Amino acid sequence: MNKIGLYIHIPFCIQKCLYCDFLSFPEGKKQQALYFDALKNEILCSKEECKEYEVDTIFIGGGTPTAVAPDEIANMMKLIRDNYNVLDDAEITMECNPGTIGAGADAMKLYFDAGINRISIGLQSANDKELKLLGRIHNRQQFEECYRNVRAAGFLNVNVDLMGALPGQSISDYEDNLNYVLSLDPPPEHISAYSLIIEEGTPFYEMYGEKTESIDSAGSISEGALPLPDEDTERDMYHRTKDILSENGYHRYEISNYAKDKFECAHNVRYWKCREYLGFGLGAASLMKGRRFSNTRVLSEYTKSLLDEGEGVAGIRRDEEILDDNAMMEEFMFMGLRLIQGVNVNDFYSRFGKEIFDVYGDVIVNLIEKELLVRNGDYLRLTDKGLDVSNYCMAEFLI
């Protein structure tokens, strides 16, 4: 039986972080309850599409899933288990913000009893000044309490998100944050460490404009805003992450992700290997049976179609695209090269019936000559030098 992953989007949050461009917004309990009614209808309407699949990963993201009543999450999980073929050993992840009601001890026990077995905690920084600068709603003390609650509830698979290249941040500041995460008892099984990206449409974009290569040319940086680290400093943070985490028993398996052995995030690996997934909720994306589509990003359209008009999923799906071979090959390469292991040349042939060198031979030779790509057995992977300029390397595989 084929395997599929499920993604559930919870768009609600207490307040938007200053850097955030995700589909999220604050809403009251009445609107949240209406949303979950619609979400449950979508889950029920979609079960026939998945009757030939086994669900081996579920990811509950946002927004902030822990900003809503914990019972809503537990009831949603029961509905999925009752209507989908969820494997007993499925990885089931939920994102958590330490400053929300759902980060409490009772809530964590409820999540664990509902079958969620992996928690991803958005720490971002262990420095309260940096957290305030980012617009986060929690402080370090609240994170520590949340982490204790997660462990006490029984979670044995925990990720901590950490952000670098923050305004005014030095390499030493960043290393302090990284070492703090490693000092947790027990330390997390997984660490996601990534750089701040200034996204258009966010308050940070208004403060900094387009992120440029140096402090001196930081675009339209507003008066009083701390300068962004320059490109060399950001790259040093990136390399120090790899070195420090490697020394502490973590292996880097994707550009920004590190794990203890056997604790890689299976759901995210699904994305990077272009395996099938079905998204539920506002704006959720899907890749299924050679089709890519996403749900409406307008809350009123989402709830009206699923509750008032009875249109079901047909009324909420947008931008459906049937992927041709070229599009699928591009995505296979573009996403797969994010993985440190790289892409498997035999998998390429089994998926597309073509030798990878017949399609991308010139590109592969060119990148190998530039020492950006290397063949290692059946895999083509980016070198450390190639990972530093990964966006350039991946773009070379666009047909």
Side-chain angles (χ1 to χ4, degrees), residues 338-399:
R338 293 187 61 89
L339 293 167
I340 303 306
Q341 186 182 46
V343 296
N344 188 297
V345 297
N346 297 323
D347 284 350
F348 187 94
Y349 183 82
S350 66
R351 287 198 187 199
F352 308 115
K354 299 175 182 178
E355 294 289 350
I356 195 170
F357 300 98
D358 291 339
V359 180
Y360 289 115
D362 290 343
V363 173
I364 291 170
V365 169
N366 179 48
L367 292 177
I368 288 176
E369 288 177 348
K370 293 180 178 179
E371 299 182 343
L372 301 176
L373 188 74
V374 66
R375 180 166 186 177
N376 187 3
D378 291 333
Y379 286 86
L380 288 167
R381 64 172 180 82
L382 296 179
T383 63
D384 286 345
K385 182 179 176 182
L387 289 167
D388 283 346
V389 289
S390 57
N391 286 340
Y392 162 76
C393 295
M394 294 170 187
E396 291 294 287
F397 289 90
L398 300 178
I399 297 174

Side-chain angles (χ1 to χ4, degrees), residues 10-24:
I10 312 299
F12 307 114
C13 55
I14 305 301
Q15 69 178 33
K16 292 278 283 189
C17 297
L18 299 180
Y19 58 85
C20 179
D21 74 331
F22 295 151
L23 179 56
S24 60

Side-chain angles (χ1 to χ4, degrees), residues 184-203:
L184 296 169
D185 185 21
E189 288 71 29
H190 189 287
I191 297 173
S192 296
Y194 48 92
S195 295
L196 170 68
I197 297 175
I198 306 299
E199 300 284 5
E200 192 169 358
T202 66

Side-chain angles (χ1 to χ4, degrees), residues 45-118:
C45 288
S46 303
K47 67 178 182 179
E48 283 300 306
E49 289 180 283
C50 294
K51 64 182 180 181
E52 298 175 0
Y53 289 90
E54 292 176 327
V55 176
D56 60 355
T57 67
I58 300 174
F59 197 103
I60 306 167
T64 310
T66 51
V68 304
D71 283 345
E72 294 283 20
I73 301 294
N75 292 337
M76 179 191 69
M77 282 301 306
K78 183 178 187 307
L79 186 70
I80 291 173
R81 287 191 176 277
D82 287 347
N83 289 277
Y84 290 76
N85 186 12
V86 180
L87 296 178
D88 291 340
D89 61 349
E91 176 196 88
I92 305 176
T93 302
M94 186 177 71
E95 294 179 337
C96 170
N97 185 308
T100 55
I101 56 168
D106 291 342
M108 284 299 161
K109 187 65 169 64
L110 185 64
Y111 302 141
F112 186 78
D113 290 344
I116 295 167
N117 53 34
R118 183 175 184 271

